[in-house]
């Protein structure tokens, strides 16, 4: 299985900050990477697919980059509603695997 | 509006069986691949199974292969997960999720989830 490793596992930031979350795959996944946001007690929300394409309705403050094995999610101008847990997911190779999550907390 | 509503979760003893259902609405169900994804506090999110729009192609995670069976009824806009030989490690919230894009292997809409607890 392809292992997806996110860093950091948790992150404290302030409203208005810019943050970057990293996701590393144990082998190449080309550009088949998605990002999800999850709030407590809710289902994950689809943010980004194919590394950098924003899902419809997702604000442009979210952006993704990378190729192969190393990827990043950047969120600018943090607002209270952005504090959540973020997951990456590879869908290049069966079985499709997720990172362990990065919890973004208010400082 | 796309809606996915899971049901069928509950408490079951180890070795037991359970059938989850997912009722879909707000889109042409028969045109989309569908998936089951589960979440545990310890292991996080885990993809469980995929079924193509026709139901012809099915893929299962190694951890559930031979024990879980995904199926669908396009006439009823419904997705199912039959779970046999349940183990404590199958305890999780189970989500149905619509496949997105050409591959159908990432997920644009998710249900609210149904909790399965395997315990004696």
């Amino acid at each position: 299985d392809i292992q997806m490793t996110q860093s950091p596992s948790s992150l404290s930031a302030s409203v208005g900050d810019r943050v970057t979350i990293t996701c590393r795959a144990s082998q190449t996944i080309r550009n088949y990477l998605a990002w999800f946001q999850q709030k407590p007690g809710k289902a994950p929300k689809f943010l980004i697919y194919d590394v950098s394409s924003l899902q419809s309705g997702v604000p442009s403050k979210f952006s993704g980059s990378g190729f192969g094995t190393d990827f990043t999610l950047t969120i600018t101008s943090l607002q209270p509603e952005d504090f959540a847990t973020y997951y990456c997911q590879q869908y290049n190779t069966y079985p499709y695997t997720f990172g362990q999550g990065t919890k973004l907390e208010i400082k | 509006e796309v809606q996915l509503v899971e049901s069928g979760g509950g408490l079951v003893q180890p070795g037991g069986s359970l059938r989850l259902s997912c009722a879909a609405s707000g889109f042409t169900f028969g045109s989309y691949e569908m998936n089951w994804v589960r979440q545990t506090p310890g292991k996080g999110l885990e993809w469980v199974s995929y079924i193509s729009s026709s139901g012809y192609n099915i893929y299962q995670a190694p951890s559930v292969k031979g024990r879980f069976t995904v199926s669908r009824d396009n006439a009823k806009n419904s997705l199912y997960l039959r779970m046999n030989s349940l183990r404590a490690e199958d305890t999780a919230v189970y989500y149905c999720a619509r496949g997105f894009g050409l591959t159908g292997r990432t997920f644009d809409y998710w249900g609210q989830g149904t909790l399965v607890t395997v315990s004696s």
Side-chain angles (χ1 to χ4, degrees):
Chain A
D1 298 4
I2 294 178
Q3 306 302 316
M4 304 298 291
T5 304
Q6 290 182 232
S7 60
S9 294
S10 64
L11 177 58
S12 292
S14 301
V15 172
D17 282 357
R18 174 181 183 270
V19 297
T20 297
I21 298 168
T22 296
C23 177
R24 174 164 288 175
S26 60
Q27 61 191 79
T28 184
I29 58 170
R30 297 183 288 173
N31 68 329
Y32 293 108
L33 183 96
W35 289 96
F36 297 87
Q37 175 195 68
Q38 187 177 32
K39 297 181 179 178
K42 300 291 188 182
K45 176 185 175 183
F46 187 48
L47 296 178
I48 287 173
Y49 61 96
D50 295 351
V51 175
S52 59
S53 296
L54 245 55
Q55 169 65 339
S56 177
V58 174
S60 59
K61 64 189 307 180
F62 293 94
S63 63
S65 64
F67 186 80
T69 60
D70 293 306
F71 305 91
T72 60
L73 171 70
T74 299
I75 313 169
T76 59
S77 187
L78 281 171
Q79 296 302 304
E81 60 269 22
D82 300 327
F83 291 91
T85 300
Y86 292 85
Y87 294 93
C88 61
Q89 180 234 344
Q90 69 82 16
Y91 50 103
N92 181 70
T93 304
Y94 160 90
Y96 319 120
T97 46
F98 291 85
Q100 82 282 9
T102 295
K103 187 173 185 179
L104 177 57
E105 299 173 302
I106 297 179
K107 188 182 290 184
Chain B
E1 180 194 3
V2 172
Q3 284 201 323
L4 299 168
V5 180
E6 303 93 338
S7 60
L11 175 63
V12 60
Q13 292 189 338
S17 297
L18 212 53
R19 187 203 197 204
L20 305 183
S21 299
C22 172
S25 60
F27 65 103
T28 306
F29 179 73
S31 296
Y32 285 84
E33 296 97 336
M34 296 295 296
N35 296 266
W36 288 98
V37 180
R38 66 185 181 184
Q39 186 169 30
T40 64
K43 288 190 70 178
L45 288 163
E46 181 185 17
W47 169 80
V48 172
S49 63
Y50 158 99
I51 185 167
S52 63
S53 56
S54 65
Y56 186 77
N57 292 309
I58 288 173
Y59 302 104
Q60 310 269 40
S63 59
V64 306
K65 208 166 188 178
R67 300 188 299 122
F68 290 13
T69 303
V70 61
S71 61
R72 64 191 297 161
D73 185 336
N74 288 344
K76 294 184 177 179
N77 292 338
S78 292
L79 177 72
Y80 306 102
L81 186 67
R82 176 68 179 180
M83 304 185 294
N84 295 330
S85 303
L86 282 161
R87 307 166 180 166
E89 55 264 36
D90 296 318
T91 295
V93 175
Y94 285 74
Y95 295 100
C96 70
R98 191 177 81 168
F100 173 82
L102 295 176
T103 68
R105 300 176 303 204
T106 190
F107 326 112
D108 60 350
Y109 287 93
W110 300 57
Q112 85 289 351
T114 188
L115 177 62
V116 172
T117 303
V118 184
S119 175
S120 55

